[in-house]
Amino acid sequence: MYDCIIVGAGPAGGTAAYHLAKQGRSVLVLEKESLPRYKPCGGGVSPAIAQWFDFDFSPAISLKADSLRFTWKLGDPVEAKIATKEPVWMVRRDIFDHFLVQQGQKQGAELRDNTEVTGIEFQSDYWQVNTANGPVTGRYLIAADGAKGPMAKWLGFKERKRLLTGALEAEIPGIIENQPIIHFEFGLVKNGYLWNFPKADGYSIGVGTFIGRQPQDFKKILDEYAKSLNVDLKTSKQYGHPLCIWDGNQKLHTQNAILAGEAACVVDPMTAEGIRPSIFSGLLAAATINEALSGDTNALEKYSEAINEEVGTEMAWAQKLAGAFYRFSNIGYKVGVKHPSAPQIMGKIMCGELRYGDVAGRALKRLISGFGG
């Protein structure tokens, strides 16, 4: 009987495993893929996550980027070096996610990868988790199995508040010759952006939409973008994946179980950043289960409240900004992105040095005044 079984070895699951094992709890992580496993993702990580751990992330960072480049329909560029304490980390998710789980293993957490969960049953005061390799039992469950995982449904969360949108990504091998630059392209895609995130051994380029459900030809749009970068997509594999974007506060706990990461719909509505909010939810999930194991009967309820308060408040601002910016992105680009302070503000938000709540009021006013101008 484990103190806690965590389903999913992404950033939320790995974080929860590390912190729970560090408290001396017996933890089992179940992951259906074999680690390390490829995960389509731009791979931009806020260095602010370092404050929640006591180890060095250097082995998991591909490179650090401190320059941003924005374009509108491939023209009208805005470039800036961001003046943050630490640049944005660029990671490959197979390496980053596995590294995080390995830190948990060093603390005593057990990992069973290549182990798919086939169903769950609650037995009086513990969970039986059925897997392809037989059942396991745990007093508490953390469902961190991502946007497509079945755990939330099995736990009875039938209608989660979320905006299910999509992204298409391609990995381009190559040598980064110049200073690594994070590139955002607005204008070629409705209600989202295209990105080119550098890695030590190539680029992750992709397209995603974050509001609305208008069908768009992602393949065609990504192809056009790739051509502008002198990249031929025919030689690279493309990966489509859903995004579970925050769409309002909700209950994230049930009998002896909580949702974390993308299963808890914590992806940022403005930038689609998912790694930092997922890690934060994993951190809170570990503290919650630890308190519940110590006898706090209200711990799980407090988890829902804390996520709604800490993450939800920030996400609500992001959603307001996204609504104004993406629906009228030509104006958003002119009065928002091209504003002299915009790249620095964006850089500070990406690096965790500023919150949306600090800047959204001003940004929204600027966007609204842009309609009048």
Side-chain angles (χ1 to χ4, degrees), residues 3-8 10-29 52-53 100 104 107 109 140-144 252-253 256-261 264 277-296 299-300 302-304 306-307:
D3 288 327
C4 185
I5 294 173
I6 299 167
V7 180
T15 299
Y18 174 77
H19 284 288
L20 268 174
K22 205 163 175 267
Q23 293 292 331
R25 304 301 187 181
S26 61
V27 179
L28 172 64
V29 181
W52 302 324
F53 300 91
L100 201 43
Q107 297 294 332
Y140 287 91
L141 262 188
I142 296 175
L252 297 168
H253 68 282
N256 288 38
I258 50 182
L259 305 181
S278 287
I279 284 176
F280 182 71
S281 73
L283 183 77
L284 272 188
T288 297
I289 300 297
N290 191 50
E291 282 165 18
L293 286 162
S294 301
D296 182 349
L300 273 61
K302 286 185 206 156
Y303 171 78
S304 288
I307 291 279

Short mmCIF file of all heavy atoms in Angstrom, two decimals, residues 3-8 10-29 52-53 100 104 107 109 140-144 252-253 256-261 264 277-296 299-300 302-304 306-307:
data_model
loop_
_atom_site.label_atom_id
_atom_site.label_comp_id
_atom_site.label_asym_id
_atom_site.label_seq_id
_atom_site.Cartn_x
_atom_site.Cartn_y
_atom_site.Cartn_z
N ASP A 3 1.56 5.38 0.00
CA ASP A 3 0.89 6.58 0.52
C ASP A 3 0.19 7.30 -0.63
O ASP A 3 -0.91 7.82 -0.47
CB ASP A 3 1.90 7.53 1.17
CG ASP A 3 2.42 7.00 2.50
OD1 ASP A 3 1.64 6.33 3.21
OD2 ASP A 3 3.60 7.26 2.81
N CYS A 4 0.85 7.33 -1.79
CA CYS A 4 0.28 8.05 -2.93
C CYS A 4 0.71 7.41 -4.24
O CYS A 4 1.90 7.08 -4.42
CB CYS A 4 0.73 9.51 -2.89
SG CYS A 4 -0.04 10.52 -4.18
N ILE A 5 -0.24 7.25 -5.13
CA ILE A 5 0.07 6.81 -6.49
C ILE A 5 -0.16 8.00 -7.41
O ILE A 5 -1.20 8.66 -7.36
CB ILE A 5 -0.82 5.62 -6.92
CG1 ILE A 5 -0.51 4.38 -6.06
CG2 ILE A 5 -0.61 5.29 -8.40
CD1 ILE A 5 -1.45 3.20 -6.30
N ILE A 6 0.85 8.28 -8.23
CA ILE A 6 0.77 9.39 -9.18
C ILE A 6 0.69 8.80 -10.58
O ILE A 6 1.53 7.99 -10.97
CB ILE A 6 2.02 10.30 -9.07
CG1 ILE A 6 2.10 10.90 -7.65
CG2 ILE A 6 1.99 11.40 -10.12
CD1 ILE A 6 3.44 11.55 -7.33
N VAL A 7 -0.35 9.18 -11.31
CA VAL A 7 -0.50 8.68 -12.68
C VAL A 7 -0.04 9.77 -13.64
O VAL A 7 -0.65 10.83 -13.72
CB VAL A 7 -1.96 8.27 -12.97
CG1 VAL A 7 -2.08 7.75 -14.41
CG2 VAL A 7 -2.43 7.20 -11.98
N GLY A 8 1.07 9.52 -14.33
CA GLY A 8 1.64 10.48 -15.28
C GLY A 8 2.97 11.02 -14.79
O GLY A 8 3.08 11.49 -13.66
N GLY A 10 4.80 13.52 -16.24
CA GLY A 10 5.14 14.83 -16.81
C GLY A 10 5.61 15.77 -15.70
O GLY A 10 5.89 15.33 -14.58
N PRO A 11 5.68 17.09 -15.98
CA PRO A 11 6.17 18.03 -14.98
C PRO A 11 5.38 18.03 -13.67
O PRO A 11 5.96 18.14 -12.59
CB PRO A 11 6.06 19.38 -15.68
CG PRO A 11 6.14 19.05 -17.13
CD PRO A 11 5.46 17.74 -17.29
N ALA A 12 4.05 17.88 -13.74
CA ALA A 12 3.23 17.88 -12.51
C ALA A 12 3.50 16.61 -11.70
O ALA A 12 3.74 16.66 -10.49
CB ALA A 12 1.75 17.98 -12.85
N GLY A 13 3.47 15.45 -12.37
CA GLY A 13 3.70 14.18 -11.69
C GLY A 13 5.10 14.08 -11.11
O GLY A 13 5.28 13.65 -9.96
N GLY A 14 6.09 14.51 -11.88
CA GLY A 14 7.49 14.45 -11.42
C GLY A 14 7.71 15.35 -10.21
O GLY A 14 8.39 14.97 -9.25
N THR A 15 7.11 16.55 -10.24
CA THR A 15 7.25 17.49 -9.12
C THR A 15 6.60 16.93 -7.86
O THR A 15 7.20 16.96 -6.77
CB THR A 15 6.58 18.85 -9.48
OG1 THR A 15 7.24 19.38 -10.62
CG2 THR A 15 6.65 19.83 -8.33
N ALA A 16 5.38 16.41 -8.00
CA ALA A 16 4.67 15.85 -6.84
C ALA A 16 5.45 14.67 -6.26
O ALA A 16 5.58 14.54 -5.03
CB ALA A 16 3.27 15.42 -7.26
N ALA A 17 6.00 13.82 -7.13
CA ALA A 17 6.76 12.66 -6.67
C ALA A 17 7.99 13.09 -5.87
O ALA A 17 8.27 12.56 -4.80
CB ALA A 17 7.19 11.81 -7.87
N TYR A 18 8.70 14.10 -6.40
CA TYR A 18 9.91 14.57 -5.73
C TYR A 18 9.58 15.09 -4.32
O TYR A 18 10.20 14.69 -3.34
CB TYR A 18 10.57 15.68 -6.55
CG TYR A 18 11.75 16.31 -5.85
CD1 TYR A 18 12.98 15.66 -5.80
CD2 TYR A 18 11.62 17.54 -5.20
CE1 TYR A 18 14.05 16.21 -5.12
CE2 TYR A 18 12.69 18.10 -4.52
CZ TYR A 18 13.90 17.44 -4.48
OH TYR A 18 14.97 17.98 -3.80
N HIS A 19 8.58 15.98 -4.24
CA HIS A 19 8.30 16.62 -2.95
C HIS A 19 7.66 15.67 -1.93
O HIS A 19 7.94 15.77 -0.74
CB HIS A 19 7.45 17.88 -3.17
CG HIS A 19 8.26 19.01 -3.71
ND1 HIS A 19 9.17 19.70 -2.96
CD2 HIS A 19 8.33 19.57 -4.95
CE1 HIS A 19 9.75 20.64 -3.69
NE2 HIS A 19 9.26 20.57 -4.91
N LEU A 20 6.84 14.76 -2.40
CA LEU A 20 6.24 13.78 -1.47
C LEU A 20 7.29 12.80 -0.96
O LEU A 20 7.34 12.50 0.24
CB LEU A 20 5.11 13.01 -2.16
CG LEU A 20 3.71 13.58 -2.02
CD1 LEU A 20 2.73 12.80 -2.89
CD2 LEU A 20 3.23 13.57 -0.56
N ALA A 21 8.14 12.30 -1.86
CA ALA A 21 9.18 11.36 -1.45
C ALA A 21 10.15 12.03 -0.48
O ALA A 21 10.62 11.41 0.48
CB ALA A 21 9.92 10.83 -2.67
N LYS A 22 10.39 13.33 -0.71
CA LYS A 22 11.31 14.07 0.17
C LYS A 22 10.76 14.17 1.59
O LYS A 22 11.50 14.30 2.56
CB LYS A 22 11.50 15.47 -0.43
CG LYS A 22 12.78 16.12 -0.02
CD LYS A 22 13.14 17.27 -0.93
CE LYS A 22 14.38 17.94 -0.37
NZ LYS A 22 14.10 19.06 0.51
N GLN A 23 9.42 14.12 1.70
CA GLN A 23 8.78 14.15 3.03
C GLN A 23 8.74 12.75 3.65
O GLN A 23 8.14 12.55 4.69
CB GLN A 23 7.34 14.68 2.90
CG GLN A 23 7.23 16.14 2.49
CD GLN A 23 7.71 17.09 3.56
OE1 GLN A 23 7.66 16.80 4.75
NE2 GLN A 23 8.22 18.24 3.15
N GLY A 24 9.34 11.79 2.96
CA GLY A 24 9.38 10.43 3.50
C GLY A 24 8.16 9.60 3.17
O GLY A 24 7.96 8.52 3.74
N ARG A 25 7.32 10.08 2.27
CA ARG A 25 6.12 9.32 1.89
C ARG A 25 6.47 8.26 0.84
O ARG A 25 7.37 8.47 0.02
CB ARG A 25 5.05 10.26 1.32
CG ARG A 25 4.63 11.40 2.25
CD ARG A 25 4.09 10.90 3.57
NE ARG A 25 3.55 11.99 4.38
CZ ARG A 25 3.03 11.83 5.59
NH1 ARG A 25 2.98 10.60 6.13
NH2 ARG A 25 2.56 12.85 6.26
N SER A 26 5.73 7.16 0.87
CA SER A 26 5.95 6.12 -0.16
C SER A 26 5.14 6.49 -1.40
O SER A 26 3.92 6.68 -1.33
CB SER A 26 5.56 4.74 0.36
OG SER A 26 4.20 4.70 0.71
N VAL A 27 5.84 6.62 -2.52
CA VAL A 27 5.24 7.15 -3.74
C VAL A 27 5.50 6.21 -4.92
O VAL A 27 6.63 5.74 -5.10
CB VAL A 27 5.85 8.55 -4.09
CG1 VAL A 27 5.25 9.11 -5.37
CG2 VAL A 27 5.66 9.53 -2.94
N LEU A 28 4.46 5.97 -5.70
CA LEU A 28 4.61 5.20 -6.93
C LEU A 28 4.15 6.08 -8.10
O LEU A 28 3.05 6.63 -8.08
CB LEU A 28 3.76 3.92 -6.88
CG LEU A 28 3.68 3.12 -8.19
CD1 LEU A 28 5.04 2.57 -8.60
CD2 LEU A 28 2.65 1.99 -8.09
N VAL A 29 5.02 6.22 -9.10
CA VAL A 29 4.66 6.95 -10.32
C VAL A 29 4.40 5.94 -11.44
O VAL A 29 5.25 5.09 -11.71
CB VAL A 29 5.78 7.92 -10.77
CG1 VAL A 29 5.36 8.68 -12.02
CG2 VAL A 29 6.13 8.89 -9.65
N TRP A 52 11.34 26.41 -6.41
CA TRP A 52 10.54 25.36 -5.77
C TRP A 52 11.32 24.06 -5.57
O TRP A 52 10.76 23.06 -5.14
CB TRP A 52 9.28 25.08 -6.60
CG TRP A 52 8.41 26.29 -6.78
CD1 TRP A 52 8.20 27.28 -5.86
CD2 TRP A 52 7.65 26.66 -7.93
NE1 TRP A 52 7.36 28.25 -6.38
CE2 TRP A 52 7.00 27.88 -7.65
CE3 TRP A 52 7.44 26.07 -9.19
CZ2 TRP A 52 6.16 28.53 -8.57
CZ3 TRP A 52 6.61 26.70 -10.10
CH2 TRP A 52 5.99 27.91 -9.79
N PHE A 53 12.60 24.07 -5.93
CA PHE A 53 13.42 22.86 -5.82
C PHE A 53 14.77 23.19 -5.19
O PHE A 53 15.19 24.35 -5.20
CB PHE A 53 13.63 22.24 -7.21
CG PHE A 53 12.35 21.84 -7.90
CD1 PHE A 53 11.69 22.74 -8.75
CD2 PHE A 53 11.80 20.59 -7.71
CE1 PHE A 53 10.51 22.39 -9.39
CE2 PHE A 53 10.61 20.23 -8.35
CZ PHE A 53 9.97 21.13 -9.18
N LEU A 100 13.37 15.24 -14.00
CA LEU A 100 12.55 15.57 -12.83
C LEU A 100 12.13 14.31 -12.07
O LEU A 100 12.22 14.24 -10.84
CB LEU A 100 11.32 16.36 -13.30
CG LEU A 100 10.55 17.24 -12.31
CD1 LEU A 100 11.44 18.04 -11.41
CD2 LEU A 100 9.59 18.15 -13.07
N GLY A 104 13.03 12.60 -8.13
CA GLY A 104 12.09 11.95 -7.21
C GLY A 104 12.56 10.55 -6.83
O GLY A 104 12.46 10.13 -5.67
N GLN A 107 15.01 10.46 -4.17
CA GLN A 107 14.41 10.67 -2.85
C GLN A 107 13.64 9.43 -2.37
O GLN A 107 13.10 9.42 -1.27
CB GLN A 107 13.44 11.88 -2.88
CG GLN A 107 14.09 13.21 -3.21
CD GLN A 107 15.05 13.68 -2.14
OE1 GLN A 107 14.91 13.35 -0.96
NE2 GLN A 107 16.06 14.44 -2.54
N ALA A 109 11.14 7.76 -4.46
CA ALA A 109 9.92 7.47 -5.22
C ALA A 109 10.19 6.29 -6.17
O ALA A 109 11.30 6.14 -6.67
CB ALA A 109 9.49 8.70 -6.02
N TYR A 140 -3.85 7.63 -1.49
CA TYR A 140 -4.26 8.81 -2.24
C TYR A 140 -3.79 8.70 -3.69
O TYR A 140 -2.85 7.98 -4.00
CB TYR A 140 -3.67 10.09 -1.61
CG TYR A 140 -4.35 10.44 -0.32
CD1 TYR A 140 -3.86 9.95 0.90
CD2 TYR A 140 -5.49 11.23 -0.30
CE1 TYR A 140 -4.50 10.24 2.10
CE2 TYR A 140 -6.14 11.54 0.90
CZ TYR A 140 -5.65 11.04 2.09
OH TYR A 140 -6.29 11.32 3.27
N LEU A 141 -4.48 9.44 -4.55
CA LEU A 141 -4.17 9.44 -5.98
C LEU A 141 -3.93 10.87 -6.47
O LEU A 141 -4.68 11.78 -6.10
CB LEU A 141 -5.39 8.94 -6.77
CG LEU A 141 -5.49 7.49 -7.24
CD1 LEU A 141 -6.70 7.35 -8.15
CD2 LEU A 141 -4.23 7.03 -7.94
N ILE A 142 -2.91 11.05 -7.31
CA ILE A 142 -2.75 12.31 -8.04
C ILE A 142 -2.88 11.97 -9.51
O ILE A 142 -2.09 11.18 -10.05
CB ILE A 142 -1.40 13.00 -7.75
CG1 ILE A 142 -1.29 13.40 -6.28
CG2 ILE A 142 -1.23 14.23 -8.65
CD1 ILE A 142 0.06 13.99 -5.87
N ALA A 143 -3.89 12.53 -10.17
CA ALA A 143 -4.10 12.31 -11.60
C ALA A 143 -3.35 13.41 -12.35
O ALA A 143 -3.76 14.57 -12.34
CB ALA A 143 -5.58 12.35 -11.94
N ALA A 144 -2.23 13.03 -12.96
CA ALA A 144 -1.40 14.00 -13.70
C ALA A 144 -1.12 13.43 -15.08
O ALA A 144 0.00 13.45 -15.57
CB ALA A 144 -0.10 14.26 -12.93
N LEU A 252 -11.16 20.59 -8.06
CA LEU A 252 -10.11 19.71 -8.59
C LEU A 252 -9.81 18.54 -7.65
O LEU A 252 -8.79 17.87 -7.80
CB LEU A 252 -8.82 20.52 -8.84
CG LEU A 252 -8.93 21.63 -9.89
CD1 LEU A 252 -7.72 22.56 -9.84
CD2 LEU A 252 -9.10 21.06 -11.29
N HIS A 253 -10.72 18.34 -6.68
CA HIS A 253 -10.50 17.24 -5.73
C HIS A 253 -11.75 16.38 -5.63
O HIS A 253 -12.86 16.84 -5.88
CB HIS A 253 -10.14 17.79 -4.35
CG HIS A 253 -11.29 18.51 -3.69
ND1 HIS A 253 -11.66 19.80 -4.03
CD2 HIS A 253 -12.18 18.11 -2.72
CE1 HIS A 253 -12.71 20.17 -3.31
NE2 HIS A 253 -13.05 19.17 -2.51
N ASN A 256 -10.20 11.22 -1.84
CA ASN A 256 -8.80 10.78 -1.77
C ASN A 256 -8.04 10.96 -3.08
O ASN A 256 -7.09 10.20 -3.36
CB ASN A 256 -8.71 9.30 -1.35
CG ASN A 256 -9.06 9.11 0.13
OD1 ASN A 256 -9.96 9.77 0.63
ND2 ASN A 256 -8.38 8.22 0.80
N ALA A 257 -8.43 11.92 -3.90
CA ALA A 257 -7.76 12.11 -5.19
C ALA A 257 -7.82 13.56 -5.64
O ALA A 257 -8.80 14.27 -5.35
CB ALA A 257 -8.38 11.21 -6.26
N ILE A 258 -6.78 14.00 -6.35
CA ILE A 258 -6.77 15.36 -6.92
C ILE A 258 -6.21 15.34 -8.34
O ILE A 258 -5.48 14.43 -8.72
CB ILE A 258 -5.95 16.37 -6.06
CG1 ILE A 258 -4.56 15.82 -5.72
CG2 ILE A 258 -6.68 16.77 -4.81
CD1 ILE A 258 -3.74 16.74 -4.84
N LEU A 259 -6.59 16.37 -9.11
CA LEU A 259 -6.08 16.54 -10.47
C LEU A 259 -4.93 17.54 -10.45
O LEU A 259 -4.99 18.54 -9.73
CB LEU A 259 -7.17 17.08 -11.40
CG LEU A 259 -8.50 16.34 -11.50
CD1 LEU A 259 -9.41 17.05 -12.50
CD2 LEU A 259 -8.28 14.89 -11.92
N ALA A 260 -3.90 17.28 -11.26
CA ALA A 260 -2.77 18.20 -11.34
C ALA A 260 -2.30 18.31 -12.80
O ALA A 260 -2.62 17.45 -13.62
CB ALA A 260 -1.61 17.73 -10.45
N GLY A 261 -1.58 19.39 -13.11
CA GLY A 261 -1.06 19.57 -14.46
C GLY A 261 -2.17 19.82 -15.47
O GLY A 261 -3.20 20.40 -15.14
N ALA A 264 -5.67 19.15 -14.81
CA ALA A 264 -6.37 20.19 -14.02
C ALA A 264 -6.62 21.45 -14.85
O ALA A 264 -7.06 22.46 -14.32
CB ALA A 264 -5.55 20.54 -12.78
N PRO A 277 2.84 26.36 -14.75
CA PRO A 277 1.63 26.11 -13.94
C PRO A 277 1.46 24.64 -13.55
O PRO A 277 0.96 24.33 -12.47
CB PRO A 277 0.48 26.61 -14.81
CG PRO A 277 1.04 26.93 -16.15
CD PRO A 277 2.52 27.05 -16.01
N SER A 278 1.90 23.73 -14.43
CA SER A 278 1.81 22.31 -14.10
C SER A 278 2.71 21.96 -12.92
O SER A 278 2.32 21.23 -12.01
CB SER A 278 2.19 21.44 -15.30
OG SER A 278 1.17 21.49 -16.28
N ILE A 279 3.93 22.50 -12.95
CA ILE A 279 4.87 22.25 -11.85
C ILE A 279 4.32 22.83 -10.56
O ILE A 279 4.39 22.20 -9.51
CB ILE A 279 6.26 22.83 -12.20
CG1 ILE A 279 6.94 21.90 -13.21
CG2 ILE A 279 7.13 23.03 -10.97
CD1 ILE A 279 8.28 22.37 -13.72
N PHE A 280 3.73 24.03 -10.64
CA PHE A 280 3.16 24.64 -9.43
C PHE A 280 2.04 23.77 -8.88
O PHE A 280 1.93 23.56 -7.67
CB PHE A 280 2.65 26.06 -9.75
CG PHE A 280 2.09 26.77 -8.55
CD1 PHE A 280 2.93 27.21 -7.54
CD2 PHE A 280 0.72 26.96 -8.42
CE1 PHE A 280 2.41 27.85 -6.41
CE2 PHE A 280 0.20 27.60 -7.29
CZ PHE A 280 1.05 28.05 -6.29
N SER A 281 1.20 23.23 -9.77
CA SER A 281 0.11 22.36 -9.30
C SER A 281 0.67 21.09 -8.67
O SER A 281 0.13 20.58 -7.69
CB SER A 281 -0.87 22.03 -10.44
OG SER A 281 -0.29 21.10 -11.35
N GLY A 282 1.78 20.57 -9.22
CA GLY A 282 2.41 19.38 -8.64
C GLY A 282 2.98 19.66 -7.26
O GLY A 282 2.91 18.83 -6.35
N LEU A 283 3.53 20.86 -7.10
CA LEU A 283 4.07 21.30 -5.81
C LEU A 283 2.96 21.36 -4.76
O LEU A 283 3.09 20.83 -3.65
CB LEU A 283 4.69 22.69 -6.01
CG LEU A 283 5.38 23.37 -4.86
CD1 LEU A 283 6.76 22.76 -4.64
CD2 LEU A 283 5.53 24.87 -5.14
N LEU A 284 1.85 22.01 -5.15
CA LEU A 284 0.70 22.10 -4.23
C LEU A 284 0.07 20.74 -3.96
O LEU A 284 -0.36 20.46 -2.84
CB LEU A 284 -0.38 23.02 -4.82
CG LEU A 284 -0.29 24.51 -4.54
CD1 LEU A 284 -1.54 25.21 -5.04
CD2 LEU A 284 -0.11 24.82 -3.07
N ALA A 285 0.04 19.89 -5.01
CA ALA A 285 -0.53 18.54 -4.85
C ALA A 285 0.25 17.75 -3.80
O ALA A 285 -0.33 17.07 -2.94
CB ALA A 285 -0.53 17.81 -6.18
N ALA A 286 1.58 17.84 -3.85
CA ALA A 286 2.43 17.12 -2.90
C ALA A 286 2.17 17.62 -1.47
O ALA A 286 2.01 16.82 -0.54
CB ALA A 286 3.90 17.29 -3.26
N ALA A 287 2.12 18.96 -1.31
CA ALA A 287 1.88 19.52 0.02
C ALA A 287 0.51 19.09 0.55
O ALA A 287 0.34 18.77 1.73
CB ALA A 287 1.97 21.05 -0.04
N THR A 288 -0.47 19.05 -0.35
CA THR A 288 -1.84 18.67 0.01
C THR A 288 -1.92 17.23 0.49
O THR A 288 -2.49 16.94 1.54
CB THR A 288 -2.76 18.84 -1.23
OG1 THR A 288 -2.76 20.22 -1.60
CG2 THR A 288 -4.17 18.38 -0.94
N ILE A 289 -1.34 16.32 -0.29
CA ILE A 289 -1.40 14.89 0.07
C ILE A 289 -0.61 14.65 1.35
O ILE A 289 -1.03 13.86 2.20
CB ILE A 289 -0.85 14.01 -1.09
CG1 ILE A 289 -1.68 14.20 -2.37
CG2 ILE A 289 -0.80 12.55 -0.68
CD1 ILE A 289 -3.13 13.80 -2.31
N ASN A 290 0.49 15.38 1.50
CA ASN A 290 1.28 15.24 2.73
C ASN A 290 0.45 15.65 3.95
O ASN A 290 0.45 14.97 4.98
CB ASN A 290 2.55 16.10 2.63
CG ASN A 290 3.53 15.80 3.75
OD1 ASN A 290 3.85 14.64 4.02
ND2 ASN A 290 3.98 16.83 4.42
N GLU A 291 -0.31 16.74 3.81
CA GLU A 291 -1.17 17.20 4.93
C GLU A 291 -2.31 16.22 5.18
O GLU A 291 -2.66 15.94 6.33
CB GLU A 291 -1.73 18.60 4.62
CG GLU A 291 -0.71 19.70 4.85
CD GLU A 291 -1.11 21.02 4.21
OE1 GLU A 291 -2.30 21.20 3.90
OE2 GLU A 291 -0.21 21.88 4.02
N ALA A 292 -2.87 15.68 4.10
CA ALA A 292 -3.96 14.71 4.24
C ALA A 292 -3.46 13.45 4.96
O ALA A 292 -4.15 12.91 5.84
CB ALA A 292 -4.53 14.35 2.87
N LEU A 293 -2.26 13.00 4.61
CA LEU A 293 -1.67 11.82 5.26
C LEU A 293 -1.36 12.09 6.74
O LEU A 293 -1.34 11.19 7.56
CB LEU A 293 -0.39 11.39 4.53
CG LEU A 293 -0.60 10.71 3.16
CD1 LEU A 293 0.68 10.74 2.34
CD2 LEU A 293 -1.09 9.27 3.34
N SER A 294 -1.13 13.38 7.04
CA SER A 294 -0.87 13.76 8.44
C SER A 294 -2.15 13.98 9.23
O SER A 294 -2.12 14.38 10.39
CB SER A 294 -0.02 15.03 8.49
OG SER A 294 1.20 14.82 7.83
N GLY A 295 -3.32 13.78 8.57
CA GLY A 295 -4.58 13.84 9.30
C GLY A 295 -5.46 15.04 9.04
O GLY A 295 -6.52 15.19 9.66
N ASP A 296 -5.07 15.94 8.14
CA ASP A 296 -5.91 17.11 7.84
C ASP A 296 -7.04 16.68 6.89
O ASP A 296 -6.83 16.44 5.71
CB ASP A 296 -5.06 18.21 7.19
CG ASP A 296 -5.88 19.48 6.89
OD1 ASP A 296 -7.12 19.43 6.98
OD2 ASP A 296 -5.26 20.50 6.55
N ALA A 299 -7.68 18.95 3.72
CA ALA A 299 -6.53 19.28 2.87
C ALA A 299 -6.89 19.32 1.38
O ALA A 299 -6.50 20.24 0.66
CB ALA A 299 -5.39 18.29 3.12
N LEU A 300 -7.67 18.34 0.93
CA LEU A 300 -7.96 18.25 -0.51
C LEU A 300 -8.83 19.42 -0.98
O LEU A 300 -8.64 19.94 -2.08
CB LEU A 300 -8.62 16.91 -0.85
CG LEU A 300 -7.62 15.77 -1.15
CD1 LEU A 300 -6.72 15.47 0.03
CD2 LEU A 300 -8.32 14.50 -1.58
N LYS A 302 -8.80 22.34 0.34
CA LYS A 302 -7.91 23.51 0.32
C LYS A 302 -7.08 23.56 -0.96
O LYS A 302 -6.69 24.62 -1.42
CB LYS A 302 -6.96 23.48 1.54
CG LYS A 302 -7.64 23.82 2.85
CD LYS A 302 -6.58 23.87 3.95
CE LYS A 302 -7.17 23.56 5.31
NZ LYS A 302 -6.17 23.04 6.25
N TYR A 303 -6.80 22.37 -1.54
CA TYR A 303 -6.03 22.31 -2.79
C TYR A 303 -6.81 23.01 -3.91
O TYR A 303 -6.27 23.86 -4.62
CB TYR A 303 -5.74 20.85 -3.17
CG TYR A 303 -5.15 20.67 -4.55
CD1 TYR A 303 -3.80 20.93 -4.79
CD2 TYR A 303 -5.93 20.24 -5.63
CE1 TYR A 303 -3.24 20.77 -6.06
CE2 TYR A 303 -5.39 20.08 -6.90
CZ TYR A 303 -4.04 20.34 -7.11
OH TYR A 303 -3.51 20.18 -8.38
N SER A 304 -8.09 22.65 -4.05
CA SER A 304 -8.91 23.30 -5.08
C SER A 304 -8.93 24.81 -4.87
O SER A 304 -8.78 25.59 -5.82
CB SER A 304 -10.35 22.77 -5.04
OG SER A 304 -10.42 21.46 -5.54
N ALA A 306 -6.72 26.69 -3.28
CA ALA A 306 -5.39 27.30 -3.51
C ALA A 306 -5.09 27.43 -4.99
O ALA A 306 -4.58 28.46 -5.43
CB ALA A 306 -4.31 26.47 -2.82
N ILE A 307 -5.40 26.40 -5.78
CA ILE A 307 -5.16 26.48 -7.23
C ILE A 307 -6.02 27.59 -7.83
O ILE A 307 -5.55 28.40 -8.63
CB ILE A 307 -5.47 25.13 -7.93
CG1 ILE A 307 -4.47 24.07 -7.53
CG2 ILE A 307 -5.51 25.31 -9.45
CD1 ILE A 307 -3.15 24.09 -8.26
#
